[in-house]
Amino acid sequence: FFNLYKCSIYAHFCTYFAHFIFLNCLHKLSIIELVLKERLERVMETRDHKISPSEVLQITNILRSLGLNTSYIGTKLINKSIQYTIQNDIEFITLEKIYLYLHCEYGFNIHSIRNNINYALSNRNKNLSVKNFEKVFGYEYYERNFEPKLFIEEVSNLIKRFS
């Protein structure tokens, strides 16, 4: 009976301790998330450039002309990513920073953001993207331009040149 009692107390202690560790980790994660959100808000407050409705339309038309389906969540996230890089005049784009911005803005987890963007780029109308690529970018079709980082960078630079 005494050994059973000791095991029961030990089991309760382990359960309590595991729960404590779990809550502590959640608390630390929420603090980290708050700090990151605060930093992001500070960055967003110091925007150099406001996106005009005509620029949003221009981005949408470029994405559509390159064969992206504008009703896909991934295409909408790409559009927002391009707006973010233009608004904050980001010269060196990192997907981590963009995904974090989209996470804070919409609440999607980063894995979902990455998958939606990849899906939109890989399921575009390839015939349309090959046909209009040179008209949009001014140089010969290059498949690698449809990788997320390079695509967001190139379209952002294109919009910056025209504005």
Side-chain angles (χ1 to χ4, degrees):
F1 175 75
F2 186 69
N3 282 341
L4 183 62
Y5 179 72
K6 280 172 58 178
C7 287
S8 175
I9 289 175
Y10 183 72
H12 283 300
F13 173 75
C14 289
T15 304
Y16 172 78
F17 189 68
H19 187 70
F20 174 77
I21 289 173
F22 176 73
L23 288 177
N24 198 19
C25 288
L26 280 180
H27 179 69
K28 284 181 183 173
L29 282 176
S30 64
I31 289 173
I32 291 170
E33 195 172 58
L34 284 173
V35 168
L36 290 173
K37 229 176 194 177
E38 184 182 308
R39 285 183 185 166
L40 186 62
E41 285 170 3
R42 252 187 276 130
V43 167
M44 296 305 286
E45 286 173 5
T46 59
R47 294 177 185 163
D48 295 330
H49 180 78
K50 295 277 187 204
I51 294 288
S52 69
S54 65
E55 285 175 313
V56 174
L57 184 61
Q58 189 179 12
I59 293 167
T60 304
N61 288 338
I62 287 171
L63 298 179
R64 188 179 294 117
S65 71
L66 290 171
L68 275 75
N69 185 333
T70 53
S71 66
Y72 287 168
I73 291 172
T75 305
K76 293 175 184 181
L77 293 173
I78 290 168
N79 192 323
K80 273 299 197 187
S81 302
I82 293 164
Q83 291 177 42
Y84 171 71
T85 58
I86 293 168
Q87 283 174 333
N88 296 289
D89 199 26
I90 299 173
E91 191 173 344
F92 301 103
I93 296 171
T94 63
L95 289 178
E96 292 77 21
K97 185 186 279 188
I98 288 171
Y99 294 163
L100 178 63
Y101 162 73
L102 294 170
H103 166 71
C104 290
E105 190 77 13
Y106 297 106
F108 295 134
N109 68 49
I110 291 177
H111 181 71
S112 173
I113 292 167
R114 183 183 307 112
N115 285 345
N116 279 305
I117 288 175
N118 286 335
Y119 182 83
L121 289 171
S122 59
N123 290 291
R124 69 188 187 280
N125 180 333
K126 290 191 172 60
N127 293 331
L128 197 56
S129 63
V130 169
K131 177 183 164 196
N132 292 327
F133 188 89
E134 195 169 342
K135 290 177 195 170
V136 171
F137 290 113
Y139 54 90
E140 195 174 305
Y141 180 80
Y142 184 49
E143 179 67 30
R144 190 166 174 263
N145 262 49
F146 289 94
E147 293 173 5
K149 180 182 184 304
L150 192 55
F151 187 79
I152 292 167
E153 222 167 41
E154 289 295 316
V155 177
S156 297
N157 289 336
L158 188 67
I159 299 296
K160 285 179 192 176
R161 272 187 269 150
F162 289 128
S163 53

